[in-house]
Coordinates of all heavy atoms in Angstrom, one line a residue:
M210 N 12.2 36.5 13.0 CA 10.8 36.3 13.1 C 10.4 34.9 13.4 O 11.1 34.0 12.9 CB 10.1 36.8 11.8 CG 10.5 35.9 10.6 SD 9.8 36.6 9.0 CE 9.9 35.1 8.0
A211 N 9.4 34.7 14.1 CA 9.0 33.3 14.5 C 7.9 32.9 13.5 O 6.8 33.3 13.6 CB 8.5 33.3 15.9
E212 N 8.3 31.9 12.7 CA 7.3 31.4 11.8 C 7.0 30.0 12.2 O 7.8 29.1 12.3 CB 7.9 31.4 10.4 CG 6.9 31.0 9.3 CD 7.5 31.1 7.9 OE1 8.2 32.0 7.7 OE2 7.2 30.2 7.1
K213 N 5.7 29.7 12.4 CA 5.3 28.4 12.8 C 5.2 27.4 11.7 O 4.6 27.7 10.7 CB 4.0 28.4 13.6 CG 3.5 27.1 14.0 CD 2.3 27.3 15.0 CE 1.7 25.9 15.3 NZ 2.6 25.0 15.9
N214 N 5.8 26.3 11.8 CA 5.7 25.3 10.8 C 4.8 24.2 11.4 O 5.0 23.7 12.5 CB 7.1 24.7 10.4 CG 7.8 25.6 9.5 OD1 7.4 25.9 8.4 ND2 8.9 26.2 10.0
Y215 N 3.8 23.8 10.6 CA 2.9 22.8 11.1 C 3.4 21.4 10.9 O 2.9 20.5 11.5 CB 1.6 23.0 10.4 CG 0.9 24.2 10.7 CD1 1.0 25.3 9.9 CD2 0.1 24.3 11.9 CE1 0.4 26.5 10.3 CE2 -0.5 25.5 12.3 CZ -0.4 26.6 11.5 OH -1.0 27.7 11.8
Y216 N 4.4 21.3 10.1 CA 5.0 19.9 9.8 C 6.4 20.1 9.3 O 6.7 21.0 8.5 CB 4.1 19.2 8.7 CG 4.4 17.8 8.6 CD1 3.7 16.9 9.5 CD2 5.3 17.3 7.7 CE1 3.9 15.5 9.4 CE2 5.5 15.9 7.6 CZ 4.8 15.0 8.5 OH 5.0 13.7 8.4
S217 N 7.3 19.4 9.9 CA 8.7 19.5 9.5 C 9.3 18.1 9.3 O 9.2 17.3 10.1 CB 9.5 20.3 10.5 OG 10.8 20.5 10.1
V218 N 9.9 17.9 8.1 CA 10.6 16.7 7.9 C 12.1 17.0 7.5 O 12.3 17.8 6.5 CB 9.9 15.9 6.7 CG1 10.8 14.7 6.4 CG2 8.5 15.5 7.1
D219 N 13.0 16.4 8.2 CA 14.4 16.6 7.8 C 14.9 15.4 7.1 O 14.9 14.3 7.6 CB 15.2 16.8 9.1 CG 16.6 17.4 8.8 OD1 17.1 17.1 7.7 OD2 17.2 18.1 9.6
P220 N 15.3 15.6 5.8 CA 15.7 14.4 5.0 C 17.0 13.8 5.5 O 17.2 12.6 5.3 CB 15.9 15.0 3.6 CG 16.1 16.4 3.8 CD 15.3 16.8 5.0
M221 N 17.8 14.6 6.2 CA 19.1 14.1 6.8 C 19.9 13.4 5.8 O 20.6 12.4 6.1 CB 18.8 13.2 8.0 CG 18.0 13.9 9.1 SD 18.1 13.3 10.7 CE 17.3 11.7 10.5
G222 N 19.9 13.8 4.5 CA 20.7 13.3 3.5 C 20.4 11.9 3.0 O 21.2 11.3 2.3
K223 N 19.2 11.4 3.4 CA 18.9 10.0 3.1 C 18.0 9.9 1.9 O 17.9 8.9 1.3 CB 18.1 9.4 4.3 CG 19.0 9.1 5.5 CD 18.2 8.5 6.6 CE 19.0 8.3 7.9 NZ 18.2 7.9 9.0
L224 N 17.4 11.0 1.5 CA 16.4 11.0 0.4 C 17.1 11.6 -0.9 O 17.8 12.6 -0.8 CB 15.1 11.7 0.7 CG 14.3 11.1 1.9 CD1 13.2 12.0 2.3 CD2 13.7 9.8 1.4
M225 N 16.7 11.0 -2.0 CA 17.3 11.5 -3.3 C 16.2 11.8 -4.3 O 15.1 11.1 -4.2 CB 18.3 10.5 -3.9 CG 19.6 10.5 -3.2 SD 20.7 9.4 -4.0 CE 21.2 10.3 -5.4
C226 N 16.4 12.8 -5.2 CA 15.5 13.0 -6.3 C 15.7 11.9 -7.3 O 16.8 11.7 -7.8 CB 15.7 14.4 -6.9 SG 14.6 14.7 -8.3
A227 N 14.6 11.2 -7.7 CA 14.7 10.1 -8.6 C 15.1 10.6 -10.0 O 15.7 9.9 -10.8 CB 13.4 9.4 -8.7
Q228 N 14.8 11.9 -10.3 CA 15.1 12.4 -11.6 C 16.5 12.9 -11.7 O 17.3 12.5 -12.6 CB 14.2 13.6 -11.9 CG 12.8 13.2 -12.5 CD 12.0 14.3 -13.0 OE1 12.2 15.5 -12.6 NE2 11.2 14.1 -14.0
C229 N 16.9 13.7 -10.7 CA 18.2 14.4 -10.8 C 19.3 13.7 -10.1 O 20.5 14.0 -10.2 CB 18.1 15.8 -10.2 SG 16.7 16.7 -10.7
K230 N 19.0 12.7 -9.3 CA 20.0 12.0 -8.5 C 20.7 12.9 -7.5 O 21.9 12.8 -7.2 CB 21.0 11.2 -9.3 CG 20.5 10.4 -10.4 CD 19.6 9.2 -9.8 CE 19.1 8.3 -10.9 NZ 18.0 7.5 -10.5
K231 N 19.9 13.9 -7.1 CA 20.5 14.9 -6.1 C 19.9 14.6 -4.7 O 18.7 14.2 -4.6 CB 20.1 16.3 -6.5 CG 20.7 16.8 -7.8 CD 22.0 17.6 -7.5 CE 22.6 18.2 -8.7 NZ 23.8 19.0 -8.4
T232 N 20.7 14.9 -3.7 CA 20.2 14.7 -2.3 C 19.2 15.8 -2.0 O 19.4 17.0 -2.2 CB 21.4 14.8 -1.4 OG1 22.4 13.8 -1.7 CG2 20.9 14.5 0.1
L233 N 18.1 15.4 -1.5 CA 17.0 16.4 -1.1 C 17.5 17.2 0.1 O 18.1 16.6 1.0 CB 15.7 15.7 -0.8 CG 15.1 14.8 -2.0 CD1 13.8 14.3 -1.6 CD2 15.1 15.6 -3.3
V234 N 17.1 18.4 0.2 CA 17.4 19.3 1.3 C 16.1 19.8 1.9 O 15.1 19.8 1.3 CB 18.3 20.5 0.9 CG1 19.6 20.0 0.3 CG2 17.5 21.3 -0.2
K235 N 16.2 20.2 3.2 CA 15.0 20.7 3.9 C 14.7 22.0 3.3 O 15.5 22.9 3.3 CB 15.3 20.7 5.4 CG 14.0 21.0 6.2 CD 14.1 20.5 7.6 CE 14.6 21.7 8.5 NZ 14.5 21.3 9.9
G236 N 13.4 22.2 2.9 CA 13.0 23.5 2.4 C 11.6 23.8 2.7 O 10.8 23.0 3.2
K237 N 11.3 25.1 2.6 CA 9.9 25.6 2.9 C 9.0 25.2 1.8 O 9.3 25.4 0.6 CB 10.0 27.1 3.2 CG 10.7 27.4 4.4 CD 10.5 28.9 4.8 CE 11.3 29.3 6.0 NZ 11.1 28.4 7.1
A238 N 7.8 24.9 2.2 CA 6.7 24.6 1.2 C 5.4 24.9 1.8 O 5.3 25.2 3.0 CB 6.8 23.1 0.8
M239 N 4.4 25.0 1.0 CA 3.1 25.3 1.5 C 2.2 24.0 1.2 O 2.2 23.5 0.1 CB 2.5 26.5 0.8 CG 3.2 27.8 1.1 SD 3.1 28.2 2.9 CE 1.5 28.9 3.0
F240 N 1.6 23.6 2.3 CA 0.7 22.4 2.1 C -0.8 22.9 2.1 O -1.2 23.6 3.0 CB 0.9 21.4 3.2 CG 0.1 20.2 3.1 CD1 0.5 19.2 2.2 CD2 -1.1 20.0 3.8 CE1 -0.3 18.0 2.0 CE2 -1.8 18.9 3.6 CZ -1.4 17.9 2.7
S241 N -1.4 22.7 1.0 CA -2.8 23.1 0.9 C -3.8 22.0 1.2 O -3.7 20.9 0.8 CB -3.1 23.6 -0.6 OG -2.2 24.7 -0.9
Y242 N -4.8 22.4 2.0 CA -5.8 21.5 2.4 C -7.1 22.2 2.6 O -7.2 23.1 3.4 CB -5.4 20.7 3.6 CG -6.5 19.7 4.1 CD1 -6.7 18.6 3.4 CD2 -7.2 20.0 5.3 CE1 -7.7 17.7 3.8 CE2 -8.2 19.1 5.7 CZ -8.4 18.0 5.0 OH -9.4 17.1 5.4
M243 N -8.2 21.8 1.9 CA -9.5 22.4 2.1 C -9.5 23.9 2.0 O -10.1 24.6 2.7 CB -10.1 22.0 3.5 CG -10.2 20.5 3.7 SD -11.6 19.8 2.7 CE -13.0 20.2 3.8
G244 N -8.7 24.4 1.0 CA -8.7 25.9 0.8 C -7.8 26.6 1.7 O -7.6 27.8 1.6
N245 N -7.1 26.0 2.7 CA -6.2 26.6 3.5 C -4.7 26.2 3.2 O -4.5 25.1 2.7 CB -6.4 26.3 5.0 CG -7.7 26.9 5.5 OD1 -8.0 28.0 5.4 ND2 -8.6 26.0 6.0
A246 N -3.8 27.1 3.4 CA -2.4 26.8 3.1 C -1.6 26.8 4.4 O -1.7 27.8 5.2 CB -1.8 27.8 2.1
F247 N -0.8 25.8 4.7 CA -0.1 25.7 5.9 C 1.4 25.7 5.6 O 1.9 24.9 4.7 CB -0.4 24.4 6.7 CG -1.9 24.3 6.9 CD1 -2.7 23.5 6.1 CD2 -2.5 25.0 8.0 CE1 -4.0 23.4 6.4 CE2 -3.8 24.8 8.2 CZ -4.6 24.0 7.4
P248 N 2.2 26.5 6.3 CA 3.7 26.5 6.0 C 4.3 25.2 6.6 O 4.0 24.8 7.8 CB 4.2 27.7 6.8 CG 3.2 28.0 7.8 CD 1.8 27.5 7.3
V249 N 5.0 24.5 5.8 CA 5.7 23.2 6.3 C 7.1 23.2 5.8 O 7.5 24.0 4.9 CB 4.9 22.0 5.7 CG1 3.5 21.9 6.3 CG2 4.8 22.1 4.2
E250 N 7.9 22.3 6.3 CA 9.2 22.1 5.9 C 9.3 20.7 5.4 O 9.1 19.8 6.2 CB 10.2 22.4 7.0 CG 10.4 23.9 7.3 CD 11.4 24.1 8.4 OE1 11.5 23.2 9.3 OE2 12.0 25.1 8.4
L251 N 9.7 20.5 4.1 CA 9.7 19.2 3.6 C 11.0 19.1 2.8 O 11.6 20.0 2.4 CB 8.5 19.0 2.6 CG 7.1 19.0 3.3 CD1 6.1 18.9 2.2 CD2 7.0 17.8 4.2
P252 N 11.4 17.8 2.5 CA 12.6 17.6 1.7 C 12.3 18.0 0.2 O 11.3 17.6 -0.3 CB 12.8 16.1 1.7 CG 12.1 15.6 3.0 CD 10.9 16.6 3.1
V253 N 13.1 18.9 -0.3 CA 12.9 19.4 -1.7 C 14.2 19.2 -2.5 O 15.3 19.1 -1.9 CB 12.6 20.9 -1.7 CG1 11.2 21.1 -1.0 CG2 13.7 21.7 -1.1
C254 N 14.1 19.0 -3.8 CA 15.2 18.9 -4.6 C 15.7 20.3 -5.0 O 15.0 21.1 -5.5 CB 14.8 18.1 -5.9 SG 16.1 18.0 -7.1
P255 N 17.0 20.5 -4.8 CA 17.6 21.9 -5.1 C 17.7 22.1 -6.6 O 17.9 23.2 -7.1 CB 19.0 21.8 -4.5 CG 19.3 20.4 -4.3 CD 18.0 19.7 -4.2
E256 N 17.6 21.0 -7.4 CA 17.7 21.1 -8.8 C 16.4 21.4 -9.5 O 16.3 22.4 -10.2 CB 18.3 19.7 -9.3 CG 18.7 19.8 -10.8 CD 20.1 20.4 -11.0 OE1 20.8 20.6 -10.0 OE2 20.5 20.6 -12.1
C257 N 15.4 20.6 -9.3 CA 14.2 20.7 -10.1 C 13.0 21.2 -9.2 O 11.9 21.5 -9.8 CB 13.8 19.4 -10.8 SG 13.3 18.1 -9.6
G258 N 13.2 21.3 -7.9 CA 12.1 21.8 -7.1 C 11.1 20.8 -6.7 O 10.1 21.1 -6.1
F259 N 11.4 19.5 -6.9 CA 10.5 18.4 -6.5 C 10.4 18.5 -5.0 O 11.3 18.6 -4.3 CB 11.1 17.1 -7.0 CG 10.5 15.9 -6.3 CD1 9.3 15.4 -6.8 CD2 11.1 15.3 -5.3 CE1 8.7 14.3 -6.2 CE2 10.5 14.2 -4.7 CZ 9.3 13.7 -5.1
V260 N 9.1 18.3 -4.5 CA 8.8 18.3 -3.1 C 8.4 16.9 -2.7 O 7.5 16.4 -3.3 CB 7.7 19.3 -2.7 CG1 7.4 19.3 -1.2 CG2 8.2 20.7 -3.1
Y261 N 9.1 16.4 -1.8 CA 8.8 15.0 -1.3 C 7.7 15.2 -0.2 O 7.9 15.8 0.8 CB 10.0 14.4 -0.7 CG 9.7 13.1 0.0 CD1 9.6 11.9 -0.7 CD2 9.6 13.0 1.4 CE1 9.3 10.7 -0.1 CE2 9.3 11.8 2.1 CZ 9.2 10.7 1.3 OH 8.9 9.5 2.0
V262 N 6.6 14.6 -0.4 CA 5.5 14.6 0.5 C 5.3 13.2 1.2 O 5.0 12.3 0.5 CB 4.1 15.0 -0.2 CG1 3.0 15.0 0.9 CG2 4.2 16.3 -0.9
P263 N 5.6 13.2 2.5 CA 5.5 11.9 3.2 C 4.1 11.4 3.2 O 3.2 12.2 3.2 CB 6.0 12.3 4.7 CG 6.7 13.6 4.5 CD 6.1 14.3 3.3
E264 N 4.0 10.1 3.2 CA 2.7 9.5 3.1 C 1.8 9.9 4.3 O 0.6 10.1 4.1 CB 2.8 8.0 3.1 CG 1.6 7.3 2.4 CD 1.9 5.8 2.1 OE1 2.9 5.5 1.5 OE2 1.1 5.0 2.6
D265 N 2.3 10.0 5.5 CA 1.5 10.3 6.6 C 1.0 11.8 6.6 O -0.1 12.1 7.1 CB 2.2 10.1 8.0 CG 3.5 10.9 8.1 OD1 4.0 11.4 7.0 OD2 4.0 11.0 9.2
L266 N 1.7 12.6 5.9 CA 1.2 14.0 5.6 C 0.0 14.0 4.6 O -1.0 14.6 4.7 CB 2.3 14.9 5.2 CG 1.9 16.4 4.9 CD1 1.3 17.0 6.2 CD2 3.0 17.2 4.4
A267 N 0.3 13.2 3.5 CA -0.7 13.1 2.5 C -2.0 12.4 3.0 O -3.1 12.7 2.5 CB -0.2 12.3 1.3
M268 N -1.9 11.6 3.9 CA -3.1 10.9 4.4 C -3.6 11.5 5.7 O -4.4 12.4 5.7 CB -2.7 9.4 4.7 CG -2.1 8.7 3.5 SD -3.3 8.5 2.1 CE -4.3 7.1 2.7
G269 N -3.2 10.9 6.9 CA -3.9 11.2 8.1 C -3.6 12.5 8.8 O -4.4 13.1 9.4
K270 N -2.3 13.0 8.7 CA -1.9 14.1 9.4 C -2.6 15.4 9.1 O -2.6 16.3 10.0 CB -0.3 14.3 9.2 CG 0.5 13.4 10.0 CD 0.7 13.8 11.4 CE 1.5 12.8 12.3 NZ 2.9 12.6 11.9
V271 N -3.2 15.5 8.0 CA -3.8 16.8 7.6 C -5.0 17.0 8.6 O -5.4 18.2 8.8 CB -4.3 16.8 6.2 CG1 -3.1 16.8 5.2 CG2 -5.2 15.6 5.9
L272 N -5.6 16.0 9.1 CA -6.7 16.1 10.0 C -6.3 16.7 11.3 O -6.9 17.5 11.9 CB -7.4 14.8 10.2 CG -8.1 14.2 9.0 CD1 -8.6 12.8 9.3 CD2 -9.2 15.1 8.4
T273 N -5.1 16.3 11.7 CA -4.5 16.8 13.0 C -4.2 18.3 12.8 O -4.4 19.1 13.7 CB -3.2 16.1 13.3 OG1 -3.5 14.7 13.4 CG2 -2.7 16.5 14.7
V274 N -3.7 18.7 11.7 CA -3.4 20.1 11.4 C -4.6 20.9 11.5 O -4.6 22.0 12.1 CB -2.7 20.2 10.0 CG1 -2.6 21.7 9.6 CG2 -1.4 19.6 10.0
E275 N -5.7 20.5 10.9 CA -6.9 21.3 10.9 C -7.4 21.4 12.4 O -7.9 22.4 12.8 CB -7.9 20.6 10.0 CG -9.2 21.5 9.9 CD -10.2 20.8 9.0 OE1 -10.5 19.6 9.2 OE2 -10.7 21.4 8.1
R276 N -7.4 20.3 13.1 CA -7.9 20.3 14.5 C -7.1 21.3 15.4 O -7.7 22.0 16.2 CB -7.8 18.9 15.1 CG -8.7 18.7 16.3 CD -8.7 17.3 16.7 NE -9.1 16.4 15.6 CZ -8.5 15.3 15.3 NH1 -7.4 14.9 15.9 NH2 -8.9 14.5 14.3
S277 N -5.8 21.4 15.3 CA -5.0 22.2 16.1 C -5.3 23.7 15.8 O -5.2 24.6 16.6 CB -3.5 21.9 15.9 OG -3.1 22.3 14.6
L278 N -5.7 24.0 14.6 CA -6.0 25.4 14.2 C -7.3 25.8 14.9 O -7.5 26.9 15.4 CB -6.2 25.5 12.7 CG -4.9 25.6 11.9 CD1 -5.2 25.7 10.4 CD2 -4.0 26.8 12.4
E279 N -8.3 24.9 15.0 CA -9.6 25.2 15.6 C -9.5 25.5 17.1 O -10.3 26.1 17.6 CB -10.6 24.1 15.3 CG -11.0 24.1 13.8 CD -11.8 22.8 13.5 OE1 -12.0 22.0 14.4 OE2 -12.3 22.8 12.3
D280 N -8.5 24.9 17.7 CA -8.3 25.0 19.2 C -7.9 26.4 19.6 O -8.0 26.8 20.7 CB -7.3 24.0 19.7 CG -7.9 22.6 19.7 OD1 -9.1 22.5 19.6 OD2 -7.1 21.6 19.8
K281 N -7.4 27.2 18.6 CA -6.8 28.5 19.0 C -7.9 29.6 19.0 O -9.0 29.4 18.5 CB -5.7 28.8 18.1 CG -4.6 27.9 18.3 CD -3.3 28.4 17.7 CE -2.1 27.5 18.2 NZ -1.5 26.9 17.1
Ligands
ZN17 ZN1 15.2 16.9 -8.9

């Protein structure tokens, strides 16, 4: 099945969970914005489920996501 991800970040083994000292892995997450949920792939901790949210996603990129939806 083809599932569209609106945002994908591959940690490439460079990011670690500050709590567990585990290497973050790429995992599926839902990013909620203005009442809508978007499927995304973000670095997650396999131990505690911590999701790393990049600053550009938390700030400006959400506006781009919303705009691309309206174009369809
Ligand atoms: Zn953790």
Side-chain angles (χ1 to χ4, degrees):
M210 68 184 196
E212 186 178 323
K213 179 170 173 54
N214 284 293
Y215 292 97
Y216 195 86
S217 183
V218 174
D219 196 328
M221 301 200 291
K223 289 179 183 169
L224 296 168
M225 284 183 77
C226 177
Q228 278 192 328
C229 316
K230 310 297 183 197
K231 291 265 185 179
T232 304
L233 301 185
V234 297
K235 191 160 93 170
K237 292 191 183 306
M239 295 298 281
F240 184 78
S241 296
Y242 177 71
M243 300 286 281
N245 293 306
F247 307 98
V249 292
E250 288 180 328
L251 294 174
V253 297
C254 174
E256 189 82 8
C257 69
F259 167 80
V260 179
Y261 173 82
V262 180
E264 203 169 305
D265 58 345
L266 179 60
M268 304 294 282
K270 283 277 174 68
V271 290
L272 296 176
T273 307
V274 170
E275 189 181 44
R276 199 173 302 132
S277 66
L278 282 180
E279 286 173 356
D280 287 343
K281 294 199 170 113

